[in-house]
């Protein structure tokens, strides 16, 4: 490798995004005596010239990164504009940067793609490789995204533990609603199925954006579950919508869905809306659980496979760039589910940028709110081992 | 020990309440060949004659109980009335029950107290001993309550991890509000201080019921923190109140606090109210985290000391009853904070029943929203070791 390398992180963190960063740093160190720069706060900080020299970071700190939550370089959601491109190139030249590694989701892949294309069209040699990252698991071209298995493990543990509590407290609270992140897709909410071993155990209903909610059927399903098991544990993806496409998080009143205020930014949440509806319509007492981004940073609940893959993706990005490959994102390919085995591959950035991957039909039940056995097969090996508890009745 | 023993669990679960149950069962098994009955769903199930015979529960299942979340016997919040007492005695006689062990909070201690007094006054020999339990840590007469250290550890890990995420995401979200359970006291919210090692790290503000919020000062403190560190991480106990005594959770509108709807049952939360105020008054984007009872059942985040103490309290209750002592609750007495050492003692039930222990003044800062060094000394050994992370800047 010749010249310096630049590394950045974008979008919402995951519990293992810093493992990818460690993989990139260690990969570069093995191949290059060149400098390694980190963007502070992603492309936003880079445009301000805010670079961190990581060249002399002690090996021990790089090791600690593998278990550090958050985006250690700082993150951003700023999107690159055409007007930014000359400034980007100017800074790349200034620091003699020849390798660009960004860890992020589809917006981030778009950023590398545009920077790389701009540099190529203006005669500046730059190798740009993307490392996938998102707890939402909605990137195309990869079996799953680093970050998803660990966030899924957080959801599984929460629903397993919260489900036991809800079962034992059924004389007090008749329902619990657990909300997961995942704005457009239900991958994280669906993962909660791993918590369930018996029909009476949580989760009972899994509500995902891919399956719009019908109020009457939802109420009937809750009542039926309570009649069968004494309580109902519901997992809901934050982006779930009603049949007419209105976000559930937008509903402020029980009977009128006209007073629209969107999502958590407005202080609203799908879980809150459903909680209020169950209270008002069915007269039930229950609780809501909204851990929000805590599922994205739980360093003690990391899936071992996830950490290994996130680190490996970082290293592979460096290997690809070193081979002269550019304009690609590293992908994970599953070769076996039981035992779980994976290999790494790549996909051109233009096939990934600005696309999202919803849960396929075959992973969801045709009607109603649950997942298929095919999805259970997909998710179980990613989450890792789950402890067994005592059951007295 | 002569005759059978009866065991029950009441109120909200903790992550280690089943460790106390295991301690009681193993304590009885060592001393008695008599039967062990479990109340299903506490005194509520008992009054319905719903008993579980635990005598033949395999040792392995008893062992698993030590790490099982929830209240494995089922719980209740039903309070005993005078009219219930003859029925209770009738059932005790029917099963020849001579020992009563209840694991719970101050209401539960009141229940044992009344049952024991009623039996004594009507000539039925019964030894009743209480085992303390509550994540709220608001029982008098004990250094702390089993369940509190583990829930505190959950809060500490959440704020440590969520704090790293918030710092790294400060270009996107300017604040985060983490809500803890604890209706009348701030013990759990205060525990979040353990997550903090440097002034710029979370938590920045700790809002507890013992220190009513002044809106103007709260807003000024948030602004000052953001000016200093780029973001503000706030921990709020669910029961926090405004200066005039109104619960913060009751406030639905930014400028008028007259539209009162109390707490989570109404779908409201202190964190939601404060989130809306910061958005409306300061124009800031931020998020709220409301894990609710997940902090009460996180079996993978148990404090090792808590599990040990909860189990020991169960065993000690049996030892006391075996010595013919009755009408008492087991207590934890701290003999040293560094290294942490404890002994077990007892307190008469009438001194515990229906009382709550707020945080003492010396554990809180005189004004403003933070805790004292004395509290840090109190809480650190209970929470256990906390991992170190990498910091790049």
């Amino acid at each position: 490798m010749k010249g310096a390398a630049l590394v950045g992180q974008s979008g919402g963190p995951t519990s293992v995004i810093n493992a990818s960063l460690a993989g990139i740093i260690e990969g570069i160190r093995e191949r290059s005596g060149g400098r390694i720069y980190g963007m502070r706060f992603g492309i936003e900080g880079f445009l301000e010239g805010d670079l961190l020299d990581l060249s002399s970071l002690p090996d021990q700190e790089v090791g600690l990164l593998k278990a550090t939550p958050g985006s250690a370089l700082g993150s951003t959601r700023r999107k690159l504009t055409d007007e930014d491109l000359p400034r980007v190139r100017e800074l790349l030249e200034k620091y003699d940067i020849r390798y660009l590694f960004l860890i992020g989701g589809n917006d981030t892949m778009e950023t590398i793609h545009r920077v790389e294309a701009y540099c190529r069209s203006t005669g500046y040699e730059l190798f740009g490789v993307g490392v996938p990252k998102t707890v939402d698991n909605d990137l195309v071209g990869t079996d799953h995204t680093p970050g998803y298995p660990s966030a899924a493990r957080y959801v599984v543990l929460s629903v397993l533990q919260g489900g036991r509590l809800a079962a034992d407290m059924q004389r007090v609270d008749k329902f619990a609603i657990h909300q997961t992140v995942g704005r457009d897709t239900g991958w994280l909410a669906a993962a909660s199925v791993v918590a369930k071993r018996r029909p009476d155990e949580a989760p009972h209903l899994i509500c995902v954006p891919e399956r719009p909610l019908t109020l009457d059927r939802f109420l009937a399903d809750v009542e039926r579950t309570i009649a069968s098991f004494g309580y109902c544990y519901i997992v809901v993806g934050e982006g779930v919508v009603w049949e007419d496409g209105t976000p559930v998080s937008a509903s402020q009143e029980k009977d009128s869905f006209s007073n629209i205020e969107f999502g958590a930014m407005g202080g609203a949440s799908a879980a809150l809306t459903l909680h209020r509806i169950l209270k008002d319509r069915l007269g039930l007492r229950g609780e809501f659980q909204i851990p929000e981004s805590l599922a994205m940073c739980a360093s003690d609940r990391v899936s071992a496979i996830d950490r290994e893959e996130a680190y490996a993706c970082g290293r592979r990005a460096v290997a690809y760039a070193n081979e002269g490959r550019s304009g690609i994102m590293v992908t994970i390919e599953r070769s076996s589910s039981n035992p779980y085995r994976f290999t790494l591959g790549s996909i051109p950035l233009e096939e990934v940028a600005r696309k999202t991957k919803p849960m396929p039909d075959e992973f969801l039940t045709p009607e109603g709110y649950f997942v298929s056995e095919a999805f259970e097969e997909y998710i179980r090996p990613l989450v890792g081992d789950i402890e067994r508890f005592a059951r007295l009745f």
Side-chain angles (χ1 to χ4, degrees), chain A:
Chain A
M1 295 176 82
K2 286 176 182 173
L6 176 65
V7 193
Q9 298 174 316
S10 279
T14 80
S15 300
V16 298
I17 184 173
N18 292 326
S20 293
L21 178 58
I24 292 170
I25 294 172
E26 293 185 352
I28 296 171
R29 284 187 176 177
E30 285 175 17
R31 289 181 180 83
S32 157
R35 287 201 175 272
I36 308 173
Y37 294 105
M39 297 176 176
R40 272 187 67 167
F41 301 109
I43 200 75
E44 184 175 352
F46 182 67
L47 287 166
E48 297 162 8
D50 198 355
L51 295 190
L52 210 60
D53 190 339
L54 301 173
S55 310
S56 57
L57 193 69
D59 288 344
Q60 196 201 339
E61 286 292 302
V62 180
L64 275 180
L65 269 182
K66 293 172 193 167
T68 294
S71 295
L73 291 170
S75 190
T76 182
R77 289 201 194 276
R78 187 188 190 292
K79 288 179 188 165
L80 207 64
T81 67
D82 283 341
E83 289 68 47
D84 295 327
L85 290 167
R87 168 76 176 149
V88 169
R89 187 189 145 148
E90 181 191 320
L91 284 162
L92 294 174
E93 280 194 82
K94 176 175 170 187
Y95 294 98
D96 188 30
I97 291 163
R98 298 294 171 175
Y99 301 94
L100 171 64
F101 302 103
L102 293 184
I103 314 167
N106 48 20
D107 283 340
T108 308
M109 297 309 140
E110 168 81 359
T111 297
I112 311 177
H113 184 45
R114 293 177 62 204
V115 169
E116 199 253 1
Y118 180 80
C119 288
R120 197 167 352 101
S121 73
T122 58
Y124 182 82
E125 190 178 57
L126 179 82
F127 301 95
V129 180
V131 175
K133 174 274 337 173
T134 170
V135 298
D136 290 353
N137 199 37
D138 59 358
L139 285 185
V140 300
T142 182
D143 178 78
H144 58 277
T145 49
Y148 171 62
S150 295
R153 186 171 173 82
Y154 182 98
V155 171
V156 169
L157 289 173
S158 295
V159 173
L160 175 69
Q161 297 162 351
R164 289 302 293 258
L165 187 146
D168 296 340
M169 289 300 283
Q170 61 180 262
R171 298 284 176 112
V172 179
D173 286 311
K174 285 295 168 195
F175 70 90
I177 305 176
H178 182 92
Q179 180 173 308
T180 70
V181 291
R183 188 151 297 276
D184 301 313
T185 59
W187 292 100
L188 267 182
S192 64
V193 73
V194 175
K196 191 183 185 85
R197 292 195 174 100
R198 294 168 26 162
D200 60 334
E201 291 180 345
H204 301 116
L205 303 177
I206 298 175
C207 306
V208 298
E210 290 87 345
R211 289 280 182 273
L213 276 186
T214 308
L215 182 57
D216 287 344
R217 203 170 76 208
F218 175 72
L219 292 173
D221 282 346
V222 171
E223 285 194 300
R224 183 181 42 73
T225 306
I226 294 173
S228 299
F229 306 127
Y231 72 110
C232 184
Y233 196 104
I234 303 151
V235 178
V236 53
E238 63 178 342
V240 70
V241 295
W242 297 113
E243 269 186 311
D244 66 359
T246 316
V248 172
S249 67
S251 310
Q252 298 293 301
E253 300 300 327
K254 64 171 180 172
D255 282 329
S256 130
F257 301 132
S258 56
N259 179 17
I260 295 183
E261 187 179 59
F262 286 88
M265 274 189 64
S269 274
L272 279 169
T273 303
L274 295 178
H275 181 275
R276 187 163 300 197
I277 287 172
L278 293 180
K279 172 176 166 276
D280 291 344
R281 292 293 188 96
L282 304 182
L284 298 175
R285 193 188 134 124
E287 78 158 34
F288 51 82
Q289 298 154 354
I290 310 178
E292 285 287 290
S293 65
L294 295 176
M296 300 159 68
C297 58
S299 46
D300 63 323
R301 290 178 165 178
V302 160
S303 148
I305 282 171
D306 194 21
R307 182 171 285 161
E308 178 191 341
E309 289 176 339
Y311 176 76
C313 284
R315 290 187 67 98
R316 180 59 64 96
V318 176
Y320 283 152
N322 188 52
E323 293 164 11
R325 298 185 63 189
S326 184
I328 54 171
M329 181 186 84
V330 180
T331 59
I332 299 171
E333 289 161 20
R334 184 189 306 228
S335 46
S336 158
S337 278
N338 189 13
Y340 177 77
R341 293 191 206 287
F342 72 96
T343 56
L344 297 180
S346 68
I347 188 171
L349 288 175
E350 66 261 32
E351 291 183 29
V352 180
R354 283 171 306 171
K355 288 179 188 154
T356 61
K357 182 177 75 177
M359 291 187 73
D361 267 350
E362 62 266 30
F363 277 0
L364 293 164
T365 48
E367 49 178 88
Y369 312 114
F370 218 72
V371 299
S372 68
E373 281 181 26
F375 176 72
E376 289 199 45
E377 223 171 279
Y378 170 86
I379 188 66
R380 282 192 188 278
L382 301 184
V383 166
D385 289 340
I386 299 296
E387 58 190 325
R388 190 172 94 75
F389 296 143
R391 272 201 66 155
L392 301 186
F393 58 90

